[in-house]
Amino acid sequence: MSELTDFDEMYQEIVLDHYRNPRNKSKLSRDFLETKSYNPFCGDEIELQLSINDGKLEDISVTGRGCAISQSSGSLMSEVVINKSINEIKEISLIIRSLLKNEEVQEKDLDRLGDAFALEGVKKFPVRIKCALLSWAALKDLIDQY
Ligand code: ZN
């Protein structure tokens, strides 16, 4: 994956693992919100489904095609947000945005990201930030509708 060769090794391993073995990719069967998003700069696509009950994300499906960063970001996102409350998910989304925009993020906030902290590796490559944020933007769209 040539696009990842400049990544720090620790980040690279996590991102590649999620690219090769994406989590939570089974389509949901009932009561879900759905959106598709597209990143014209890179050709990435993400299809996102959320099943929300009582203010909590009970299930999520992320599928798509495109570069390793866009697809692994979707998988990393699905792992960190599943079974969280909508309020927690909003906070986690803001932390990810700060991380990628190279704003200061506190240690205790980083701890909330699980393996998604590996997306920090993307901030060194500004053209890739849109790839990393594609699934997170889709998530925000759906949650704002809820
Ligand atoms: Zn991309």
Side-chain angles (χ1 to χ4, degrees):
M1 208 39 53
S2 63
E3 63 193 276
L4 294 178
T5 49
D6 293 334
F7 263 54
D8 295 342
E9 230 169 90
M10 174 181 67
Y11 294 140
Q12 194 179 123
E13 209 170 292
I14 295 170
V15 169
L16 267 185
D17 175 44
H18 278 260
Y19 176 58
R20 290 179 177 144
N21 307 297
R23 321 302 202 262
N24 300 303
K25 57 183 285 195
S26 304
K27 292 286 186 188
L28 305 187
S29 52
R30 60 180 177 85
D31 297 341
F32 54 81
L33 299 170
E34 183 173 41
T35 190
K36 288 182 187 181
S37 51
Y38 178 61
N39 170 19
F41 297 96
C42 189
D44 309 317
E45 293 172 36
I46 286 286
E47 291 163 30
L48 178 66
Q49 296 178 330
L50 305 179
S51 175
I52 300 171
N53 203 355
D54 259 350
K56 187 177 155 193
L57 181 62
E58 289 193 330
D59 210 353
I60 180 168
S61 162
V62 185
T63 53
R65 54 209 68 77
C67 72
I69 291 169
S70 68
Q71 302 306 305
S72 80
S73 179
S75 173
L76 286 160
M77 178 185 83
S78 74
E79 271 206 325
V80 65
V81 298
I82 195 166
N83 290 321
K84 297 264 184 355
S85 73
I86 297 308
N87 285 338
E88 285 176 281
I89 292 171
K90 284 180 177 169
E91 290 169 12
I92 288 168
S93 299
L94 288 174
I95 298 168
I96 285 284
R97 278 170 193 277
S98 298
L99 192 67
L100 287 170
K101 285 197 273 178
N102 213 0
E103 294 168 2
E104 200 178 325
V105 178
Q106 296 189 348
E107 191 87 25
K108 66 174 169 53
D109 285 337
L110 275 183
D111 289 346
R112 301 176 68 187
L113 299 179
D115 279 353
F117 83 92
L119 294 172
E120 182 177 20
V122 179
K123 74 185 183 193
K124 284 201 286 187
F125 311 99
V127 295
R128 292 283 174 186
I129 290 174
K130 277 196 189 333
C131 304
L133 283 178
L134 184 65
S135 49
W136 295 88
L139 179 72
K140 184 176 187 306
D141 279 355
L142 286 185
I143 281 181
D144 287 348
Q145 282 175 38
Y146 173 74

